[in-house]
Amino acid sequence: MVGFKATDVPPTATVKFLGAGTAACIADLITFPLDTAKVRLQIQGERQGAVRAAASLQYRGVLGTILTMVRTEGPRSLYNGLVAGLQRQMSFASVRIGLYDSVKQFYTKGSEHAGIGSRLLAGGTTGALAVAVAQPTDVVKVRFQAQARAGGGQRYQSTVDAYKTIAREEGFRGLWKGTSPNIARNAIVNCTELVTYDLIKDALLKANLMNSALGQYSSAGHCALTMLQKEGPRAFYKGFMPSFLRLGSWNVVMFVTYEQLKRALMAACTSREAPF
């Protein structure tokens, strides 16, 4: 690395791995209330019929959901499951984003010229692998976000208690509930998100710029069919707006922070290795 400026030194796989996880945690801290609102909207009315659910809606819209939660459960309720959420990002984002370049180079056999096919394959691979690794943290995060603080006792008292309770009551496989649909979703999302970012970044550089109950659903297909029968097609789009707003703001914060962290980490590594 001697002879390179700190900003010119290519980041190592370790720097990318740690940088991606840290950047994702920062983005999650900022956008977590939107994620919680999305979960509350998604689970609303899942145990009622479509007509009854529509008449007894507790949450309406992004802002309405957030205000209702603050009024009935307090501001801290917006950050239910934050610990598990940060655990998820450190493991999930580190794999799906931090390892993307390394997997892409593996598929291109080290070539610097990666085609769209190799990029898509790398995005799908790291997206699926990340879910397989981080699914337990996602399950616990959603369970915490789904449980209301107001009225009734809380099912889980802490993040560690949630892991233990789920494993004890539902078996070890309970921590990996929803893995199949999550892998399918995140493989697609990761391909779209990372490949788009990768292509745009390359173009800019070339231009010298820069919650379900135990036994409620037997499978993903059963869950989808039950939702369709009880709540109608619109049930699949519950929480769309907060999800859209969160993903947009989350990605802006995450990728900007990610690039700056990589620069800072490589600058720190370079300064340590520079001769006195």
Side-chain angles (χ1 to χ4, degrees):
M1 289 190 282
V2 178
F4 285 96
K5 294 187 296 182
T7 54
D8 293 333
V9 178
T12 63
T14 302
V15 166
K16 292 177 184 178
F17 189 83
L18 294 176
T22 304
C25 285
I26 293 172
D28 234 33
L29 282 169
I30 296 172
T31 64
F32 202 80
L34 289 170
D35 191 38
T36 303
K38 177 204 71 173
V39 170
R40 289 296 179 91
L41 284 168
Q42 287 177 328
I43 66 169
Q44 182 169 237
E46 68 170 4
R47 297 185 183 180
Q48 301 174 344
V51 176
R52 184 182 171 190
S56 59
L57 290 178
Q58 182 181 8
Y59 308 116
R60 296 179 184 274
V62 185
L63 184 59
T65 301
I66 292 175
L67 291 177
T68 298
M69 290 182 64
V70 170
R71 185 177 66 253
T72 60
E73 304 173 50
R76 290 181 61 185
S77 65
L78 297 174
Y79 286 89
N80 279 354
L82 178 62
V83 173
L86 295 180
Q87 291 173 348
R88 174 181 181 271
Q89 292 302 345
M90 275 308 297
S91 53
F92 182 72
S94 294
V95 173
R96 80 176 184 94
I97 298 172
L99 296 184
Y100 170 76
D101 285 334
S102 297
V103 174
K104 182 177 67 175
Q105 290 176 357
F106 171 78
Y107 284 130
T108 58
K109 298 180 180 179
S111 173
E112 293 183 1
H113 304 288
I116 186 70
S118 299
R119 297 175 198 251
L120 288 171
L121 194 57
T125 300
T126 57
L129 182 60
V131 171
V133 171
Q135 185 67 12
T137 61
D138 199 25
V139 170
V140 171
K141 176 186 77 75
V142 172
R143 295 284 182 94
F144 264 105
Q145 289 174 315
Q147 70 176 5
R149 289 178 180 270
Q154 287 186 304
R155 186 178 181 186
Y156 309 113
Q157 302 306 314
S158 68
T159 305
V160 174
D161 176 58
Y163 286 116
K164 290 181 178 179
T165 301
I166 294 172
R168 182 177 65 252
E169 295 181 354
E170 305 170 41
F172 194 65
R173 292 178 61 182
L175 291 169
W176 269 269
K177 272 188 174 179
T179 299
S180 297
N182 217 8
I183 283 179
R185 172 186 176 272
N186 279 286
I188 296 171
V189 169
N190 212 43
C191 284
T192 305
E193 183 181 281
L194 283 183
V195 173
T196 300
Y197 173 75
D198 201 19
L199 290 171
I200 292 175
K201 179 183 173 182
D202 280 354
L204 290 174
L205 288 175
K206 287 177 181 177
N208 295 319
L209 298 169
M210 185 58 209
N211 183 43
S212 66
L214 181 61
Q216 183 175 357
Y217 304 119
S218 59
S219 65
H222 177 235
C223 176
L225 184 60
T226 302
M227 286 175 62
L228 182 63
Q229 290 174 336
K230 290 187 176 181
E231 304 176 63
R234 293 182 63 182
F236 294 101
Y237 293 90
K238 288 193 297 185
F240 172 80
M241 187 52 66
S243 182
F244 176 80
L245 292 173
R246 177 183 177 272
L247 282 173
S249 55
W250 190 93
N251 277 287
V252 169
V253 174
M254 196 285 299
F255 280 116
V256 171
T257 307
Y258 179 41
E259 293 298 335
Q260 296 307 312
L261 280 173
K262 285 194 297 184
R263 283 169 169 259
L265 288 170
M266 289 311 298
C269 291
T270 304
S271 63
R272 275 205 315 269
E273 294 179 5
F276 293 97

